[in-house]
Amino acid sequence: MWGDAGTRASVRLSWAVACVLACAAPATATTFVRMDAPQLAARSDVAVVATVREVATVGLENGAAVTRVVLLPEQVVLGAVPAGPLVLDEPGGRAGGRVERIFGAPEYQPGARVLAFLQHTAGGTLRTTGMAMGKYDLAADGTAIRSFGDVLLLDPADAAPIPPSAGERLADVLGGLAAKAIRPAAAARTIAARVPAPPAAPFTYLGDPSRWFEADAGQPIRFLIDGRGDAALGRAVALDAAADALATWSSIDGASLLLEDGLLDAPASFAGCDGANRVVFDDPFDEIDDPVDCRGILGIGGYCYADERRDVGGVEYRRIRVGKATIANGWGGCPQWTACNLAQIVTHELGHTVGLGHSPDETATMSGTARFDGRCAALAADDLAGARAIYPVPDTPTPTVTRTPPPSATATARPPATATARPPTRTPSPAGARGIRGRITYYGSGLPVPGARVRLRGAGTAIAVTQGGGDYGVDDLAAGAWTVEPQKTADPNSGAITALDAAIVLQASAGARALDAEHRIACDATGNGSVSPLDAARILQLVTGAIPALPARDLCGSDFVFFPSPSSAPNQERIAPALDVTGCRAGALSYAPLTGQLAGQSFRAALIGDCDSSWQPAEARSAEPLLAPAGTALQVSPPRRLPGGRWRVAVGLSAPASASALEVELRYDGAQLLPTRVRTAHLGDAALVDFTAEPPGRLRLALASAIPLPIDGRALLVVDFTAAGDAAVTGRSVRAWSARMDDRVIPIAR
């Protein structure tokens, strides 16, 4: 359902939509990566051509419904079946006064002739393999057609959506099975990256408009998290992913939604409308088919509602009573199954539990297109718009910081707020109460840092998230000792780490620039306690995409480091951050014990690798890029033939002002040329260069220098290619696509 291409991934994920019920209606979502007959056969126990004799719904004790289907086989395509009819139990259906509809479940009609791929469940019953993917309707002319309803169907080759099929001949389907060896596939497969389309339309609802009415009174909605965690990534990673996802939906400026976490004593099934709100990992009740060859269903999420209604903003909403999400089992062997991507998946599913459907904006987390681009639990503009529309802030402000009770293993965090900040509402505390408030600003610039998770540990656990003004605060803390430690994940679109940061490291290493203590830690990309050309090399690798993160980030578990800068307080200890060969020590404040209400317990933050302090919060960034001085031009020579079937291109710079860093993207004809080497020219040992050629056809170059770059048109970089084919190499075989000089964009004529 997703994939990598080179060093980047742009992928499809999600889970379609469902709902309806007279008294308590569930809504779910499902997305398929297409499986055709050979893949279905590889994971099926039985496949038959049959006639549907009977379809009926059976209500279960837990409030769920299953649709019982009776098939009369006429041809056994795969496996062995006993004589007589086959009975299937499919999820969902109508029982009494309620309907549970699962989008993506197969729909059987009495009297229809079908080709059905079937598998045994853990309980010994049969169900259709791959939900609707495993059932073909057979027409009188021998055509086999599959119907997926509202489910999003993706092509495994490029993750693009697939339109409804006109069908294929049954003989061809069966012939394809006979021509292939049917066995489960174990190797992971990647899906080619796809460039997302621009936003198309506003957010959508999951079924009929539904919402949590508790948000109007400022009451948090608690989700219990499966304490077993994810089998592949581990308990701590899964709990953090769920906490981050809950926090994401809780920290939206202009929205009243508050979600908090707790621990689920035992995993609960997705089916039915009983029990608590929950997030469950590894599909313990076998309600989702396990993937094969990294294909299949990723997860399901949705809600049950009551027939209680409320008008909000001119829209009539039903009241959500139960929210539920289940993450599929068996994806651990897939290359995209990471902590960050799990957080994105849970965030998407929780979006369904609060009433959002699939967004038509492909950049949104709630889109059918999931971009595993390092966003983790972050939201995009359309997600925020949906949450603000469904959960507008009431006239009387409600608290925006929640406290996680001690039984929870992971506290609820909140990621960055966007747009205009709404300061937390302060509720007067009784005499003797304990609380901590402060502000986080950026080092070097003093700008506020929203979206930092401030963890409080000691006499209990709690988390606050800095709002748009950088403020955080937690009240009503228990008596005892407390430690305050911020963390923050970088915005992948901030563009703060560039080749200019690597140039600053080289200049400092050469003694041409002095760094204060905070800048030295920010520039220590390797996390080894020193600033050296190796840090510059790692920064250039990050800029070109050769590595996904800086080593110090992995060492610290945070993209930012935090320097305590508080007002004095009783029993206060300031713990400065430190990076060295023994590990990473986070910046923190400690109180042993905490007494009273403390204000001004502030920090300065630095993004690791941002040596020039250029990071800005999203709301402060200009939509227009900074341009290089007028008269600046990038010069790329036409390819020049060299002996041995090689070709060479020179890259130079003409500018009226000095510079020390250059980033360039070249586009080349991959059918003709293959880049083999990039080196600097006229710079000696004073400069470093890094490059990547992924995906093929795009060459990203990053140059940093300890001395000023020649800006008189002389070559700065020399790129060598080998001939990849017999096609003629021309002056257009390599061309400049984009360029930046010292973080300023150089216009390119294309």
Side-chain angles (χ1 to χ4, degrees):
M1 194 178 296
W2 49 24
D4 283 333
T7 58
R8 294 290 183 271
S10 178
V11 271
R12 290 239 163 213
L13 87 86
S14 224
W15 301 259
V17 192
C19 99
V20 241
L21 221 102
C23 64
T28 62
T30 310
T31 295
F32 294 157
V33 174
R34 184 183 63 192
M35 290 190 294
D36 288 330
Q39 290 84 34
L40 291 165
R43 60 192 299 178
S44 298
D45 301 309
V46 174
V48 296
V49 174
T51 299
V52 181
R53 186 178 77 179
E54 183 180 345
V55 179
T57 303
V58 177
L60 304 182
E61 291 182 358
N62 65 356
V66 297
T67 297
R68 190 149 289 165
V69 181
V70 180
L71 300 181
L72 298 178
E74 63 181 70
Q75 178 184 352
V76 178
V77 177
L78 175 71
V81 300
L86 295 177
V87 179
L88 321 181
D89 278 349
E90 302 295 343
R94 180 183 297 273
R98 65 175 56 181
V99 175
E100 184 170 16
R101 182 183 175 199
I102 309 295
F103 280 148
E107 296 185 4
Y108 289 89
Q109 299 296 327
R113 189 165 173 262
V114 299
L115 166 62
F117 291 85
L118 310 173
Q119 60 184 190
H120 288 97
T121 68
T125 61
L126 284 172
R127 71 179 176 198
T128 308
T129 304
M131 300 178 75
M133 286 188 285
K135 189 209 97 177
Y136 292 76
D137 287 303
L138 305 181
D141 63 358
T143 303
I145 302 173
R146 290 189 289 181
S147 175
F148 302 107
D150 294 323
V151 169
L152 179 65
L153 181 65
L154 308 177
D155 191 325
D158 62 3
I162 303 172
S165 171
E168 50 192 317
R169 294 191 58 79
L170 175 62
D172 295 336
V173 176
L174 299 181
L177 294 178
K180 294 199 174 205
I182 305 303
R183 61 177 64 90
R189 179 174 301 180
T190 60
I191 299 174
R194 179 172 176 266
V195 177
F203 72 93
T204 62
Y205 296 105
L206 181 60
D208 295 330
S210 303
R211 66 193 294 275
W212 293 91
F213 291 179
E214 287 81 354
D216 300 334
Q219 298 174 4
I221 299 104
R222 172 167 291 189
F223 278 77
L224 301 185
I225 311 304
D226 183 358
R228 302 170 308 128
D230 178 83
L233 297 175
R235 180 176 186 269
V237 167
L239 292 178
D240 274 347
D244 288 348
L246 291 166
T248 295
W249 292 108
S250 303
S251 64
I252 300 170
D253 183 58
S256 60
L257 184 65
L258 292 175
L259 307 179
E260 64 180 20
D261 70 340
L263 278 181
L264 189 64
D265 294 333
S269 109
F270 183 86
C273 296
D274 298 331
N277 308 321
R278 63 243 187 212
V279 177
V280 177
F281 299 101
D282 289 334
D283 185 26
F285 293 89
D286 196 27
E287 295 167 288
I288 307 170
D289 291 343
D290 290 348
V292 171
D293 196 20
C294 291
R295 304 177 186 223
I297 302 164
L298 192 59
I300 53 179
Y303 57 78
C304 296
Y305 63 73
D307 199 21
E308 179 182 347
R309 301 170 188 254
R310 178 175 295 179
D311 185 282
V312 177
V315 178
E316 185 179 69
Y317 291 90
R318 291 178 171 87
R319 183 171 194 167
I320 298 177
R321 286 298 193 184
V322 176
K324 49 190 180 174
T326 295
I327 308 303
N329 183 44
W331 290 91
C334 299
Q336 295 80 17
W337 199 250
T338 66
C340 179
N341 292 344
L342 179 60
Q344 183 178 346
I345 293 165
V346 179
T347 302
H348 176 102
E349 294 297 353
L350 283 174
H352 290 308
T353 72
V354 300
L356 284 169
H358 282 150
S359 169
D361 179 352
E362 291 195 1
T363 67
T365 297
M366 291 309 301
S367 171
T369 302
R371 301 173 64 194
F372 286 158
D373 52 7
R375 74 176 59 189
C376 305
L379 298 175
D382 192 65
D383 308 312
L384 300 172
R388 289 170 183 145
I390 299 174
Y391 298 97
V393 177
D395 294 336
T396 302
T398 55
T400 59
V401 177
T402 60
R403 181 166 55 92
T404 303
S408 174
T410 299
T412 300
R414 292 186 192 144
T418 60
T420 304
R422 184 177 83 247
T425 299
R426 302 190 180 189
T427 303
S429 300
R434 286 160 292 275
I436 298 174
R437 293 186 176 276
R439 190 167 186 254
I440 298 181
T441 55
Y442 201 65
Y443 91 120
S445 69
L447 290 171
V449 178
R453 299 177 60 189
V454 183
R455 295 178 178 267
L456 293 89
R457 297 188 179 93
T461 61
I463 281 187
V465 174
T466 54
Q467 302 300 299
D471 298 303
Y472 77 92
V474 178
D475 297 319
D476 302 324
L477 294 173
W482 287 90
T483 297
V484 181
E485 179 185 313
Q487 292 181 322
K488 180 171 170 58
T489 300
D491 174 359
N493 300 314
S494 72
I497 301 176
T498 67
L500 181 59
D501 297 302
I504 291 173
V505 171
L506 292 178
Q507 293 160 13
S509 300
R513 179 189 290 260
L515 300 177
D516 60 27
E518 291 183 352
H519 280 81
R520 291 190 68 82
I521 290 181
C523 293
D524 187 4
T526 59
N528 64 3
S530 64
V531 176
S532 72
L534 181 58
D535 297 296
R538 294 292 179 262
I539 291 172
L540 291 180
Q541 290 172 348
L542 181 74
V543 170
T544 62
I547 59 175
L550 295 174
R553 185 256 181 246
D554 293 333
L555 190 66
C556 295
S558 173
D559 289 300
F560 288 71
V561 290
F562 295 86
F563 308 97
S565 57
S567 301
S568 296
N571 309 319
Q572 177 195 82
E573 179 186 359
R574 306 182 187 196
I575 303 170
L579 292 168
D580 57 39
V581 292
T582 63
C584 175
R585 183 181 69 204
L589 290 169
S590 179
Y591 312 88
L594 174 66
T595 59
Q597 294 279 352
L598 302 184
Q601 303 306 291
S602 300
F603 293 83
R604 287 190 300 275
L607 174 63
I608 297 172
D610 181 21
C611 298
D612 64 349
S613 309
S614 63
W615 178 90
Q616 293 181 323
E619 55 268 31
R621 295 174 206 149
S622 172
E624 298 297 327
L626 293 175
L627 297 180
T632 302
L634 185 74
Q635 299 178 346
V636 179
S637 71
R640 179 167 63 91
R641 184 189 292 273
L642 301 175
R646 297 180 297 126
W647 295 83
R648 176 168 293 170
V649 169
V651 178
L653 184 64
S654 176
S658 63
S660 55
L662 182 66
E663 296 175 39
V664 178
E665 181 177 331
L666 303 178
R667 298 288 177 94
Y668 63 92
D669 189 337
Q672 299 174 339
L673 298 170
L674 178 67
T676 55
R677 187 177 71 147
V678 177
R679 61 179 175 84
T680 62
H682 300 107
L683 292 168
D685 296 332
L688 290 175
V689 64
D690 194 81
F691 75 97
T692 56
E694 291 288 349
R698 298 185 179 185
L699 182 63
R700 297 184 63 185
L701 310 166
L703 169 69
S705 176
I707 62 175
L709 299 175
I711 53 175
D712 54 4
R714 284 182 291 171
L716 296 175
L717 297 170
V718 176
V719 185
D720 287 344
F721 297 85
T722 58
D726 298 330
V729 175
T730 69
R732 294 289 295 168
S733 296
V734 180
R735 61 194 187 281
W737 190 258
S738 65
R740 294 202 303 180
M741 179 190 78
D742 282 5
D743 292 352
R744 293 178 176 266
V745 173
I746 302 172
I748 302 292
R750 298 176 187 162

XYZ file of all heavy atoms in Angstrom, residues 567-628:
443
model
N 13.589 31.513 34.722
C 13.669 32.379 35.893
C 14.041 31.511 37.095
O 13.739 30.315 37.136
C 12.318 33.051 36.140
O 11.920 33.815 35.018
N 14.692 32.098 38.073
C 15.087 31.341 39.261
C 13.850 30.847 40.003
O 12.810 31.521 40.038
C 15.925 32.217 40.190
O 17.128 32.589 39.550
N 13.972 29.655 40.584
C 12.855 29.058 41.317
C 13.416 28.177 42.422
O 14.556 27.695 42.335
C 11.979 28.238 40.376
N 12.647 27.941 43.482
C 13.121 27.082 44.573
C 13.425 25.665 44.080
O 12.697 25.115 43.234
C 11.945 27.076 45.560
C 11.150 28.299 45.231
C 11.301 28.507 43.766
N 14.503 25.095 44.601
C 14.873 23.697 44.354
C 15.111 23.409 42.871
O 15.006 22.272 42.422
C 13.786 22.750 44.879
C 13.401 23.031 46.305
O 14.267 23.301 47.151
N 12.102 22.997 46.598
N 15.473 24.422 42.127
C 15.622 24.272 40.671
C 17.043 23.840 40.309
O 18.017 24.340 40.852
C 15.302 25.607 39.997
C 15.471 25.630 38.491
C 15.498 27.050 37.964
O 16.533 27.717 38.007
N 14.342 27.544 37.519
N 17.148 22.901 39.371
C 18.440 22.509 38.802
C 18.355 22.632 37.288
O 17.429 22.112 36.661
C 18.810 21.070 39.170
C 20.135 20.629 38.566
C 20.445 19.160 38.805
O 19.626 18.480 39.463
O 21.490 18.679 38.326
N 19.329 23.315 36.720
C 19.385 23.463 35.263
C 20.311 22.400 34.692
O 21.476 22.317 35.081
C 19.873 24.851 34.877
C 19.069 25.972 35.522
C 19.556 27.336 35.082
N 18.896 28.399 35.827
C 18.895 29.685 35.457
N 19.544 30.051 34.370
N 18.264 30.582 36.189
N 19.799 21.613 33.770
C 20.579 20.536 33.162
C 20.845 20.919 31.710
O 19.933 20.944 30.881
C 19.820 19.194 33.232
C 19.474 18.871 34.688
C 20.635 18.079 32.587
C 18.519 17.693 34.834
N 22.093 21.260 31.393
C 22.450 21.699 30.045
C 22.549 20.498 29.115
O 22.974 19.410 29.529
C 23.769 22.458 30.072
N 22.167 20.640 27.850
C 22.315 19.518 26.908
C 23.784 19.268 26.612
O 24.625 20.179 26.698
C 21.574 20.009 25.670
C 21.687 21.498 25.732
C 21.644 21.844 27.190
N 24.103 18.038 26.261
C 25.484 17.689 25.936
C 25.483 16.557 24.927
O 24.664 15.625 25.006
C 26.254 17.280 27.193
N 26.396 16.644 23.974
C 26.617 15.594 22.983
C 28.082 15.198 23.035
O 28.963 16.054 22.985
C 26.285 16.094 21.566
C 24.819 16.391 21.242
C 24.714 17.149 19.930
C 24.044 15.099 21.150
N 28.339 13.917 23.167
C 29.708 13.435 23.102
C 29.679 11.956 22.754
O 28.613 11.386 22.504
C 30.472 13.691 24.406
C 29.794 13.074 25.625
O 29.260 11.952 25.501
O 29.803 13.703 26.695
N 30.843 11.341 22.749
C 30.947 9.948 22.312
C 30.195 8.996 23.235
O 29.909 7.857 22.857
C 32.425 9.520 22.211
C 33.116 10.254 21.071
C 33.160 9.770 23.527
N 29.869 9.438 24.446
C 29.152 8.556 25.371
C 27.640 8.611 25.167
O 26.915 7.793 25.718
C 29.467 8.940 26.831
O 28.994 10.274 27.097
C 30.971 8.879 27.086
N 27.158 9.601 24.416
C 25.722 9.674 24.172
C 25.222 11.101 24.176
O 25.994 12.062 24.048
N 23.906 11.229 24.334
C 23.253 12.534 24.296
C 22.556 12.782 25.624
O 21.806 11.928 26.103
C 22.234 12.578 23.154
S 21.259 14.100 23.083
N 22.810 13.936 26.226
C 22.096 14.338 27.430
C 21.160 15.472 27.061
O 21.583 16.501 26.529
C 23.063 14.796 28.516
C 22.352 15.168 29.839
C 23.357 15.636 30.866
N 23.941 16.925 30.513
C 25.122 17.354 30.952
N 25.841 16.596 31.753
N 25.583 18.550 30.588
N 19.880 15.269 27.317
C 18.881 16.263 26.949
C 18.908 17.428 27.921
O 19.161 17.260 29.119
C 17.490 15.632 26.927
N 18.642 18.619 27.406
C 18.482 19.773 28.266
C 17.186 19.654 29.057
O 16.156 19.237 28.533
N 17.217 20.018 30.333
C 16.044 19.826 31.186
C 16.106 20.767 32.380
O 17.131 21.409 32.648
C 15.964 18.371 31.660
N 14.981 20.841 33.073
C 14.888 21.531 34.359
C 14.362 20.543 35.381
O 13.433 19.772 35.089
C 13.948 22.733 34.266
C 14.444 23.923 33.446
C 13.313 24.914 33.211
C 15.621 24.598 34.133
N 14.947 20.559 36.579
C 14.553 19.619 37.616
C 14.198 20.382 38.894
O 14.838 21.401 39.214
C 15.694 18.637 37.899
O 15.339 17.730 38.916
N 13.178 19.892 39.603
C 12.723 20.504 40.853
C 12.539 19.394 41.889
O 11.744 18.474 41.667
C 11.399 21.240 40.652
C 11.399 22.141 39.447
C 11.041 21.640 38.200
C 11.786 23.472 39.542
C 11.058 22.451 37.077
C 11.806 24.293 38.425
C 11.442 23.770 37.188
O 11.464 24.575 36.078
N 13.287 19.453 42.986
C 13.231 18.388 43.987
C 13.113 18.993 45.386
O 14.123 19.229 46.052
C 14.474 17.505 43.884
N 11.866 19.218 45.839
C 10.600 18.981 45.135
C 10.102 20.253 44.456
O 10.679 21.333 44.613
C 9.659 18.593 46.264
C 10.144 19.449 47.407
C 11.650 19.532 47.250
N 8.989 20.106 43.709
C 8.311 21.244 43.109
C 7.422 21.911 44.157
O 6.650 21.232 44.846
C 7.461 20.782 41.921
C 6.572 21.841 41.262
C 7.428 22.918 40.597
C 5.640 21.187 40.244
N 7.541 23.223 44.265
C 6.701 23.949 45.231
C 5.992 25.084 44.512
O 6.632 25.886 43.822
C 7.548 24.523 46.376
O 8.531 25.404 45.841
C 8.226 23.413 47.163
N 4.690 25.154 44.655
C 3.911 26.272 44.156
C 3.789 26.322 42.646
O 4.135 25.388 41.917
N 3.297 27.467 42.185
C 3.110 27.729 40.764
C 4.335 28.467 40.234
O 4.638 29.566 40.678
C 1.849 28.575 40.538
C 0.556 27.886 40.899
C 0.082 26.951 39.801
O 0.635 26.916 38.702
N -0.936 26.172 40.104
N 5.049 27.857 39.289
C 6.261 28.449 38.745
C 5.986 28.976 37.348
O 5.434 28.257 36.499
C 7.388 27.422 38.688
C 7.786 26.757 40.012
C 8.979 25.837 39.793
C 8.101 27.805 41.074
N 6.379 30.204 37.089
C 6.291 30.799 35.763
C 7.699 31.082 35.251
O 8.669 31.076 36.017
C 5.461 32.079 35.804
N 7.814 31.302 33.952
C 9.104 31.656 33.375
C 10.090 30.512 33.288
O 11.298 30.744 33.196
N 9.604 29.279 33.295
C 10.504 28.114 33.214
C 10.737 27.793 31.735
O 10.186 26.861 31.167
C 9.902 26.936 33.975
C 9.603 27.259 35.431
C 10.830 27.810 36.148
O 11.807 27.084 36.382
N 10.809 29.089 36.504
N 11.591 28.590 31.130
C 11.705 28.661 29.675
C 12.952 27.946 29.154
O 13.869 27.603 29.912
C 11.710 30.123 29.226
O 10.503 30.753 29.617
N 12.952 27.738 27.840
C 14.064 27.096 27.140
C 14.317 27.846 25.835
O 13.422 28.492 25.279
C 13.738 25.639 26.795
C 13.600 24.711 27.963
C 12.404 24.634 28.666
C 14.651 23.884 28.348
C 12.256 23.763 29.736
C 14.514 23.011 29.416
C 13.314 22.950 30.112
N 15.559 27.713 25.321
C 15.879 28.071 23.950
C 16.086 26.776 23.178
O 16.729 25.842 23.679
C 17.135 28.949 23.879
C 16.913 30.371 24.362
C 18.124 31.251 24.048
N 19.326 30.742 24.703
C 19.681 31.028 25.949
N 18.899 31.810 26.689
N 20.789 30.548 26.464
N 15.591 26.721 21.954
C 15.663 25.510 21.138
C 16.584 25.738 19.950
O 16.682 26.853 19.429
C 14.269 25.123 20.643
N 17.253 24.663 19.517
C 18.091 24.719 18.315
C 17.867 23.446 17.510
O 17.926 22.342 18.066
C 19.567 24.856 18.681
N 17.567 23.592 16.241
C 17.453 22.446 15.334
C 18.849 21.928 15.034
O 19.717 22.680 14.575
C 16.746 22.869 14.046
C 16.657 21.832 12.927
C 15.841 20.617 13.367
C 16.058 22.461 11.670
N 19.097 20.655 15.300
C 20.422 20.081 15.054
C 20.752 20.201 13.566
O 19.986 19.760 12.706
C 20.469 18.611 15.494
C 20.232 18.502 17.003
C 21.804 17.978 15.116
C 20.074 17.083 17.501
N 21.892 20.800 13.256
C 22.315 21.017 11.877
C 22.068 22.421 11.374
O 22.616 22.822 10.346
N 21.242 23.197 12.090
C 20.937 24.570 11.676
C 21.949 25.516 12.304
O 21.688 26.155 13.326
C 19.506 24.932 12.076
C 19.116 26.348 11.658
O 19.769 26.890 10.739
O 18.173 26.901 12.249
N 23.094 25.652 11.676
C 24.188 26.430 12.257
C 23.969 27.934 12.141
O 24.564 28.707 12.903
C 25.506 26.067 11.572
S 25.971 24.340 11.779
N 23.151 28.381 11.198
C 22.962 29.818 11.017
C 21.668 30.326 11.641
O 21.251 31.456 11.374
C 23.014 30.187 9.530
C 21.876 29.567 8.738
O 21.173 28.686 9.282
O 21.697 29.939 7.564
N 21.020 29.504 12.463
C 19.800 29.893 13.182
C 18.703 30.369 12.229
O 17.951 31.295 12.545
C 20.085 31.015 14.198
O 21.163 30.689 15.025
N 18.557 29.742 11.079
C 17.598 30.222 10.078
C 16.213 29.606 10.219
O 15.284 30.010 9.517
C 18.129 29.933 8.665
O 18.247 28.524 8.453
N 16.040 28.622 11.119
C 14.721 27.982 11.269
C 13.669 29.017 11.642
O 13.922 29.950 12.416
C 14.792 26.909 12.346
C 13.469 26.234 12.603
C 12.984 25.129 11.997
C 12.476 26.648 13.551
N 11.742 24.819 12.497
C 11.404 25.741 13.452
C 12.378 27.701 14.462
C 10.256 25.840 14.239
C 11.229 27.821 15.233
C 10.190 26.885 15.124
N 12.459 28.822 11.098
C 11.319 29.663 11.434
C 10.087 28.785 11.609
O 9.945 27.769 10.918
C 11.035 30.686 10.321
C 12.106 31.733 10.133
C 11.729 32.703 9.023
O 11.138 32.325 8.022
N 12.073 33.967 9.211
N 9.166 29.163 12.507
C 7.908 28.423 12.578
C 7.126 28.611 11.280
O 7.320 29.591 10.561
C 7.191 29.063 13.770
C 7.804 30.417 13.923
C 9.218 30.279 13.463
N 6.229 27.662 10.996
C 5.529 27.662 9.715
C 4.813 28.973 9.451
O 4.819 29.496 8.339
C 4.546 26.489 9.673
N 4.184 29.547 10.483
C 3.395 30.755 10.267
C 4.254 31.984 10.013
O 3.747 33.025 9.564
C 2.463 31.021 11.457
C 3.159 31.108 12.794
C 3.208 29.770 13.500
O 3.266 28.738 12.808
O 3.167 29.766 14.742
N 5.550 31.892 10.276
C 6.430 33.041 10.063
C 7.142 32.986 8.714
O 7.778 33.953 8.307
C 7.472 33.124 11.178
N 7.013 31.858 8.016
C 7.734 31.713 6.745
C 7.018 32.454 5.633
O 5.803 32.414 5.518
C 7.862 30.236 6.366
C 8.702 29.433 7.330
C 8.676 27.962 6.994
N 8.930 27.174 8.191
C 8.445 25.979 8.415
N 7.672 25.399 7.517
N 8.716 25.352 9.536
N 7.798 33.083 4.802
C 7.243 33.791 3.654
C 6.915 32.801 2.545
O 7.633 31.822 2.321
C 8.245 34.834 3.143
O 7.807 35.391 1.929
N 5.809 33.061 1.859
C 5.442 32.201 0.729
C 6.369 32.420 -0.455
O 6.488 31.560 -1.330
C 3.991 32.473 0.318
N 7.015 33.580 -0.506
C 7.931 33.900 -1.596
C 9.366 33.614 -1.164
O 9.794 34.030 -0.092
C 7.798 35.372 -1.995
C 6.421 35.744 -2.525
C 6.084 35.003 -3.805
O 7.021 34.735 -4.595
O 4.900 34.695 -4.014
N 10.143 32.900 -1.983
C 11.525 32.599 -1.606
C 12.402 33.842 -1.674
O 12.119 34.797 -2.414
C 11.950 31.569 -2.662
C 11.101 31.888 -3.861
C 9.781 32.344 -3.304
N 13.469 33.835 -0.883
C 14.466 34.886 -0.974
C 15.277 34.671 -2.240
O 15.754 33.557 -2.508
C 15.379 34.857 0.253
C 14.726 35.220 1.593
C 15.732 35.016 2.725
C 14.221 36.648 1.571
N 15.449 35.715 -3.025
C 16.160 35.600 -4.295
C 17.612 36.031 -4.136
O 17.937 36.919 -3.337
C 15.480 36.448 -5.362
C 14.046 36.051 -5.738
C 13.500 36.987 -6.802
C 13.992 34.605 -6.215
N 18.468 35.407 -4.906
C 19.866 35.813 -4.953
C 19.956 37.220 -5.534
O 19.037 37.684 -6.225
C 20.657 34.823 -5.802
